[in-house]
């Protein structure tokens, strides 16, 4: 994010907003002002970066936050608390329910020039590839962990109950539905405690 501040003449602070479904989080930021400006949007669930990340617009430019009426609570808070006066937010990517926005803040109004817009678009394009690739790797890693946990739980059921893999998976799925919890959560509990909701401990139990 420091690169954005150094490349754009009108930019004083920068940050990333990441959206995964209904979850909004901050990515990297150039400093505490960029991080806080993003965080306030997440807390209030309003602001230009949230709008961009939710695909309401690909680019948002606010030349004078004090006069903008679209996000009144957020605008007042960042101008009063952080002395941010203008903002440029650009969509980074949209992929399988996840999206991101590059947020560029200026302490003076109307500071972003046409050159800044061009540089910001180029920077957003490069960041889009990097962030999207990172999320895909992270999601793949989560998927591998989930499959491993479910496999361990199936193994416990197969050993203790003397059943096959398909029966073990069906048992986990029914337990997940009955408990109204994700299958991987039920599997993780089983691996850790050797118990399933509504059942006796599996250790020392034999059943066909």
């Amino acid at each position: 994010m420091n690169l954005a501040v150094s490349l754009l003449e009108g930019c004083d602070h920068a940050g990333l907003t990441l959206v995964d479904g209904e979850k909004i989080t901050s990515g990297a930021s150039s400093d505490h002002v960029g991080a806080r400006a993003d965080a306030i949007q997440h807390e209030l669930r309003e602001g230009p970066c949230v709008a961009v990340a939710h695909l309401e617009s690909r680019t948002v430019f606010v030349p004078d936050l004090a006069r903008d009426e679209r996000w009144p609570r957020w605008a007042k808070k960042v101008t009063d608390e952080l002395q941010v006066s203008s903002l440029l937010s650009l969509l980074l990517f949209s992929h399988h329910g996840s999206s991101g926005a590059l947020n560029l803040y200026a302490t003076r109004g109307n500071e972003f020039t046409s050159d800044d817009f061009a540089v910001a678009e180029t920077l957003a394009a490069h960041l889009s590839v990097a962030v999207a690739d990172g999320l895909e790797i992270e999601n793949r890693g989560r998927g591998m962990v989930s499959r491993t946990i479910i496999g361990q739980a199936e193994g416990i059921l197969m050993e203790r109950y003397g059943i096959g893999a398909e029966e073990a998976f069906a048992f986990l799925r029914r337990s997940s539905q009955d408990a109204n919890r994700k299958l991987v959560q039920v599997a993780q509990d089983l691996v850790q405690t050797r118990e399933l909701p509504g059942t006796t401990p599996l250790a020392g139990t034999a059943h066909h």
Side-chain angles (χ1 to χ4, degrees), residues 92-130:
L92 287 182
F93 67 94
S94 176
H95 183 69
H96 296 316
S98 298
S99 57
L102 170 63
N103 315 313
L104 308 169
Y105 302 100
T107 55
R108 300 166 303 282
N110 298 292
E111 279 298 304
F112 292 103
T113 66
S114 57
D115 287 342
D116 285 337
F117 275 79
V119 173
E121 289 284 358
T122 302
L123 182 60
H126 286 291
L127 283 172
S128 178
V129 174

Side-chain angles (χ1 to χ4, degrees), residues 67-86:
R67 296 178 178 274
D68 193 273
E69 299 179 351
R70 286 172 289 181
W71 309 283
R73 293 184 301 158
W74 176 78
K76 177 172 175 48
K77 203 165 181 62
V78 294
T79 53
D80 290 349
E81 181 180 329
L82 303 174
Q83 288 75 56
V84 168
S85 296
S86 59

Side-chain angles (χ1 to χ4, degrees), residues 4-206:
V5 175
S6 63
L7 289 177
L8 279 75
E9 186 176 344
C11 181
D12 297 304
H13 316 284
L16 288 177
T17 292
L18 303 175
V19 174
D20 185 4
E22 292 300 312
K23 184 181 179 182
I24 305 173
T25 57
S26 293
S29 59
S30 62
D31 51 39
H32 76 282
V33 174
R36 180 60 182 151
D38 285 353
I40 294 172
Q41 293 196 68
H42 309 162
E43 293 166 9
L44 299 177
R45 302 192 75 82
E46 73 166 40
C49 311
V50 174
V52 169
H54 275 124
L55 311 182
E56 295 171 19
S57 176
R58 290 188 61 85
T59 303
V60 170
F61 175 50
V62 184
D64 188 352
L65 281 169
R67 296 178 178 274
D68 193 273
E69 299 179 351
R70 286 172 289 181
W71 309 283
R73 293 184 301 158
W74 176 78
K76 177 172 175 48
K77 203 165 181 62
V78 294
T79 53
D80 290 349
E81 181 180 329
L82 303 174
Q83 288 75 56
V84 168
S85 296
S86 59
L87 166 139
L88 176 61
S89 183
L90 305 94
L91 179 67
L92 287 182
F93 67 94
S94 176
H95 183 69
H96 296 316
S98 298
S99 57
L102 170 63
N103 315 313
L104 308 169
Y105 302 100
T107 55
R108 300 166 303 282
N110 298 292
E111 279 298 304
F112 292 103
T113 66
S114 57
D115 287 342
D116 285 337
F117 275 79
V119 173
E121 289 284 358
T122 302
L123 182 60
H126 286 291
L127 283 172
S128 178
V129 174
V131 176
D133 284 350
L135 286 175
E136 187 172 341
I137 291 169
E138 182 180 353
N139 288 335
R140 275 200 222 122
R142 288 176 182 169
M144 291 177 64
V145 170
S146 296
R147 286 193 293 274
T148 299
I149 292 171
I150 292 170
Q152 290 174 343
E154 287 175 346
I156 292 170
L157 291 171
M158 290 164 67
E159 178 186 356
R160 301 303 184 191
Y161 287 117
I163 58 179
E166 290 185 6
E167 293 171 289
F169 183 77
F171 186 25
L172 285 173
R173 187 171 56 191
R174 285 196 304 272
S175 298
S176 168
Q177 292 169 347
D178 291 344
N180 195 27
R181 300 177 68 206
K182 291 182 178 180
L183 191 147
V184 68
Q185 293 173 333
V186 172
Q188 189 167 23
D189 284 351
L190 170 58
V191 170
Q192 291 176 343
T193 68
R194 298 299 194 270
E195 296 181 21
L196 276 171
T199 70
T200 56
L202 292 175
T205 302

